[in-house]
Amino acid sequence: DTGVSQNPRHKITKRGQNVTFRCDPISEHNRLYWYRQTLGQGPEFLTYFQNEAQLEKSRLLSDRFSAERPKGSFSTLEIQRTEQGDSAMYLCASGRGSGGANVLTFGAGSRLTVL
Amino acid sequence: GNSVTQMEGPVTLSEEAFLTINCTYTATGYPSLFWYVQYPGEGLQLLLKATKADDKGSNKGFEATYRKETTSFHLEKGSVQVSDSAVYFCALSWGNQFYFGTGTSLTVIP
């Protein structure tokens, strides 16, 4: 069990550029979640996958955001035409089971700074 | 809807002091409840959980009891250490969805 891995850990970009984050979950976990965390706030749900199917998306996930999980393994979160308001920590978590057995394991996060 | 409210910080305590961080929840059913901890520069880590009413979750000297009558899941520790300095998040899960509080920052001074 190598945990949840996220790359890059920190991305600095100029407004209007596209960025992509990658998450490698724990291999036995069939669920994968993306959250956004800003300073002083808790994680805010963006989207989640069960295997390769994207089952739910938050209203926070505007048209500029897209997430994929091909083959139910790693996932990518792409932000197009970045805005300064996109600056945040993007957290990936994976889990399995249901109810109280569905415990999330988080990665260390990818911090985005939009200049 | 489902939501979690936890006490605002920051909280500053001296080493060996007693800790309580309050958490209350609103849920449409009977959720599972969690406390996660985030150390500086790291991701969130599960601290403890409880899956039904009156369950007590415990880990590393921390405890929390699932109180359905008061819809609460307060975190307690009898004697905090400097190494407990971190941000603590209360969370609930319902179905496959998780809802987090805003976090409470704890600083323990020697």
Side-chain angles (χ1 to χ4, degrees):
Chain A
D1 179 357
T2 56
V4 177
S5 176
Q6 291 190 246
N7 288 288
R9 292 292 309 276
H10 196 177
K11 179 71 175 180
I12 301 172
T13 190
K14 293 182 179 178
R15 189 176 53 187
Q17 299 295 304
N18 298 344
V19 296
T20 300
F21 299 114
R22 176 179 170 126
C23 173
D24 288 273
I26 293 173
S27 57
E28 312 88 78
H29 288 181
N30 60 341
R31 295 197 187 93
L32 187 148
Y33 299 74
W34 285 100
Y35 290 86
R36 183 176 71 184
Q37 185 180 24
T38 53
L39 195 63
Q41 299 297 315
E44 297 174 294
F45 171 75
L46 293 178
T47 188
Y48 95 91
F49 294 83
Q50 182 157 314
N51 300 313
E52 67 274 13
Q54 188 173 19
L55 295 188
E56 191 172 341
K57 292 194 290 186
S58 162
R59 283 170 289 183
L60 291 175
L61 214 65
S62 75
D63 291 345
R64 297 184 296 105
F65 287 70
S66 63
E68 295 182 343
R69 191 184 184 196
K71 302 179 183 178
S73 56
F74 71 92
S75 176
T76 57
L77 177 68
E78 181 182 18
I79 309 173
Q80 296 182 325
R81 306 181 303 282
T82 52
E83 302 173 356
Q84 288 185 325
D86 297 331
S87 295
M89 179 75 84
Y90 290 86
L91 300 173
C92 177
S94 66
R96 64 177 177 178
S98 61
N102 188 19
V103 174
L104 294 184
T105 300
F106 282 84
S110 292
R111 180 171 298 283
L112 173 64
T113 302
V114 182
L115 302 176
Chain B
N2 298 310
S3 66
V4 172
T5 302
Q6 61 181 104
M7 66 182 281
E8 294 187 8
V11 174
T12 302
L13 294 174
S14 297
E15 205 165 22
E16 299 183 359
F18 184 84
L19 168 71
T20 299
I21 300 178
N22 290 338
C23 171
T24 57
Y25 67 89
T26 302
T28 53
Y30 300 102
S32 296
L33 301 174
F34 304 83
W35 278 99
Y36 279 83
V37 58
Q38 186 174 33
Y39 298 102
E42 299 183 14
L44 280 73
Q45 304 173 21
L46 177 68
L47 181 59
L48 52 83
K49 70 174 185 177
T51 58
K52 62 183 186 297
D54 300 325
D55 268 3
K56 178 186 284 187
S58 61
N59 186 26
K60 299 181 181 178
F62 291 89
E63 294 183 339
T65 301
Y66 190 143
R67 302 285 189 201
K68 191 175 76 170
E69 63 275 14
T70 55
T71 61
S72 65
F73 193 54
H74 304 321
L75 182 67
E76 296 182 336
K77 187 174 185 181
S79 176
V80 294
Q81 305 300 313
V82 172
S83 57
D84 294 326
S85 298
V87 180
Y88 293 81
F89 295 92
C90 185
L92 72 82
S93 74
W94 177 245
N96 293 321
Q97 194 51 277
F98 287 77
Y99 304 85
F100 289 85
T102 54
T104 302
S105 175
L106 170 67
T107 301
V108 180
I109 54 177

